[in-house]
Amino acid sequence: MRLLLVGRVTAAVLSLTTFVFLFLHDSWRADNLFLVPDLILCAVLLVGALLPARSALVVLPVGLAYTTGVLTASAFSYVARGEVGVPSMVGAITSAVVAMLLARRSEPGAPRPQIA
């Protein structure tokens, strides 16, 4: 599977699952500190997944890196409460790995990525 396609699919899945999570856990409250960051990551990842290849190669690593930060903070907010936030941890690790792979392929002098 080509790397850009993996990035697009990862971004779409993370965007959709985060958005669904907001509904399933009644997270549309003003006191939810993660509401705005979650909505931003949903929008950026969805847009990045739908952009033409050249633009997606710029937006996806940035969006996935942002997602890594938001989901890492979320995972550790569970830890602070004595719980385990497995979905947040899995999402953070996944977004970090795919962001690094996409960013690595975008470095000057790196082999050109396969455009899907």
Side-chain angles (χ1 to χ4, degrees), residues 16 18 25 42 63 78 88 90 96 104 116:
L16 179 64
T18 302
H25 295 276
C42 288
Y78 283 101
S88 293
V90 169
R104 169 68 179 110

Side-chain angles (χ1 to χ4, degrees), residues 16-29 32 35 38 78 87:
L16 179 64
T17 55
T18 302
F19 195 72
V20 168
F21 179 89
L22 292 172
F23 285 101
L24 294 178
H25 295 276
D26 192 32
S27 298
W28 292 91
R29 299 178 325 271
N32 177 8
L35 179 60
D38 283 349
Y78 283 101

Side-chain angles (χ1 to χ4, degrees), residues 91-115:
I93 292 166
T94 302
S95 60
V97 168
V98 176
M100 286 188 291
L101 291 172
L102 285 168
R104 169 68 179 110
R105 300 290 282 177
S106 300
E107 286 182 7
R112 304 262 317 159
Q114 294 285 334
I115 306 292

Side-chain angles (χ1 to χ4, degrees), residues 4 8 47-62 102:
L4 180 56
R8 290 181 192 276
V47 168
L50 298 174
L51 284 171
R54 189 174 296 271
S55 299
L57 286 170
V58 174
V59 173
L60 286 175
V62 173
L102 285 168

